[in-house]
Amino acid sequence: MEDVVIVGAGIAGLATAVALKRAGVEALVLERSEGLRATGAALALFPNAWVALDALGISQNLAPLYAPIKKGYVTNLDTGEIQGVSFVASNGDLGGPRSVHRKALLNALADQLPINSIRFSSKLTAIETQEHEGSSISIIHMADGTVIKAKVLIGCDGVHSVVARWLGLAEPVYSGRSAVRGLAVFPQGHGSDNNLQQYIGQGRRAGFVPLTDKEIYWFFTCTSPAKGADMADEPEVIKREVIENYAKDLPPIFLDVVQHSDPSTLTWAPLMFRYPWHVVFGNLSKQNITVAGDAMHPMTPDLGQGGCSALEDAVVLGRHIGKSFIQNGRLVPKEMAVTIGKYVEERRWRVALLIAGSYLSGWVQQAGSGWGMKFLRDAIFYRFLYPKIVKFTSYDCGKLNF
């Protein structure tokens, strides 16, 4: 019998395990892959993520390695107009986001966990519940025939979560857009300022931001259908299609960044999200079972909040379970339904608003180029709405308090 089983060793899963460890709760993390996955190469960590990382005790391991982004520039591909966005003005003393290697974040989290607490090549196939001493426990069936019992089961198994499906949550939907992401490497240094550069046009949005003085993270999103589904596992084809087809009329500086891509970091993926009302009204938990990260709230990447909100989830869930554990000196199964319910209610509206804000941001920026959309985008969205939406990124999820 395990106290806590976490399905998925991504950002949400590892961060939740770290939060629980700080309360003295041992968690077993099951990961279907053979090792830590770093799909996506890098991600932007906004101030809300650094608050969570500080609570988890690892912010000091990452912050010195990555400089904050102070400004963003958005170039309209149809008109050539450039609009500036100050992250410092939006987030105040918290400053701007920092672009971080995804693998560095995962390693920093995994390094905090006991050896053998992550079990790789472990695929979940079925879940059932069982009454045990007057309370519900989870019975977890693995592909290799192993059966694991757990007082608490947390699904951090991504967009197509087996745990979310078991809870009855509606499946994520396709946004109609796809994204290519990659990491460009300049051995002699790229010489670019540490600012976010974005380019928007009808049905397209692209951008890049430095990670270090030799590496730049870039992305390209477009409306679909596109050829992406046929080239998802062919990095050289992805690069050629972006340069010669989808982004051929973008500024030379962007194309140069794409040309310097490390093929092993290139990915193509459809952008999925869960309808906000399915999060607000759906079953995010049942007895001792719940979800976190993309398993709970998959969202489009337009606000850069997927990984950030997963870190928030981990702190909040760890705080609620940890408090119960410390008060009782152990994990009491019959208390877990109420404890997990408090976590769900604290997160439900927050993440639903992030999903909605992310979708709105992407839709406005990639919509048509008519005068109506131009007015909505330039005069209303960037001037009034975007700064308010960005303030979501200065959220404080609180401390662990133990």
Side-chain angles (χ1 to χ4, degrees), residues 26 56 78 86 112 201 217 312 340:
E26 292 187 9
L56 295 171
D78 299 313
S86 172
Q112 299 295 311
Y217 173 64
E312 291 179 9
I340 289 172

Short mmCIF file of all heavy atoms in Angstrom, two decimals, residues 26 56 78 86 112 201 217 312 340:
data_model
loop_
_atom_site.label_atom_id
_atom_site.label_comp_id
_atom_site.label_asym_id
_atom_site.label_seq_id
_atom_site.Cartn_x
_atom_site.Cartn_y
_atom_site.Cartn_z
N GLU A 26 5.74 10.40 1.34
CA GLU A 26 6.45 9.74 0.25
C GLU A 26 5.48 9.43 -0.88
O GLU A 26 4.41 8.86 -0.65
CB GLU A 26 7.12 8.46 0.74
CG GLU A 26 8.27 8.70 1.71
CD GLU A 26 9.01 7.42 2.04
OE1 GLU A 26 8.74 6.39 1.39
OE2 GLU A 26 9.85 7.43 2.96
N LEU A 56 8.64 25.44 -3.37
CA LEU A 56 9.18 24.08 -3.50
C LEU A 56 10.65 23.99 -3.12
O LEU A 56 11.20 22.90 -3.01
CB LEU A 56 8.98 23.58 -4.93
CG LEU A 56 7.53 23.40 -5.40
CD1 LEU A 56 7.49 23.11 -6.89
CD2 LEU A 56 6.85 22.28 -4.62
N ASP A 78 1.39 42.17 -41.67
CA ASP A 78 0.65 42.78 -42.77
C ASP A 78 0.99 44.27 -42.93
O ASP A 78 1.02 44.79 -44.04
CB ASP A 78 -0.86 42.61 -42.55
CG ASP A 78 -1.25 41.15 -42.50
OD1 ASP A 78 -0.82 40.40 -43.38
OD2 ASP A 78 -1.99 40.76 -41.57
N SER A 86 5.64 45.82 -22.04
CA SER A 86 6.58 45.77 -20.92
C SER A 86 6.11 44.75 -19.90
O SER A 86 5.05 44.90 -19.30
CB SER A 86 6.70 47.14 -20.26
OG SER A 86 7.46 47.06 -19.07
N GLN A 112 15.37 16.55 -6.18
CA GLN A 112 14.88 16.71 -4.81
C GLN A 112 14.23 15.44 -4.26
O GLN A 112 13.91 15.37 -3.07
CB GLN A 112 13.84 17.84 -4.77
CG GLN A 112 14.36 19.20 -5.19
CD GLN A 112 15.40 19.72 -4.23
OE1 GLN A 112 15.21 19.72 -3.02
NE2 GLN A 112 16.53 20.15 -4.78
N GLY A 201 0.28 37.44 -38.04
CA GLY A 201 -0.34 37.64 -39.34
C GLY A 201 -1.57 36.77 -39.41
O GLY A 201 -1.88 36.03 -38.46
N TYR A 217 15.15 29.98 -27.96
CA TYR A 217 13.93 29.16 -28.08
C TYR A 217 13.00 29.85 -29.06
O TYR A 217 12.79 31.06 -29.00
CB TYR A 217 13.27 29.03 -26.71
CG TYR A 217 11.93 28.35 -26.74
CD1 TYR A 217 11.80 27.02 -27.13
CD2 TYR A 217 10.77 29.03 -26.35
CE1 TYR A 217 10.57 26.38 -27.15
CE2 TYR A 217 9.53 28.40 -26.35
CZ TYR A 217 9.44 27.09 -26.75
OH TYR A 217 8.22 26.46 -26.77
N GLU A 312 1.78 25.71 -9.82
CA GLU A 312 0.81 26.19 -8.83
C GLU A 312 0.00 25.02 -8.27
O GLU A 312 -0.19 24.91 -7.05
CB GLU A 312 -0.16 27.18 -9.46
CG GLU A 312 0.42 28.51 -9.87
CD GLU A 312 -0.63 29.41 -10.50
OE1 GLU A 312 -1.84 29.08 -10.46
OE2 GLU A 312 -0.24 30.46 -11.03
N ILE A 340 -8.76 16.60 -0.77
CA ILE A 340 -8.61 16.79 -2.21
C ILE A 340 -9.70 17.72 -2.74
O ILE A 340 -9.45 18.52 -3.66
CB ILE A 340 -8.63 15.42 -2.93
CG1 ILE A 340 -7.34 14.66 -2.62
CG2 ILE A 340 -8.82 15.58 -4.43
CD1 ILE A 340 -7.32 13.23 -3.09
#
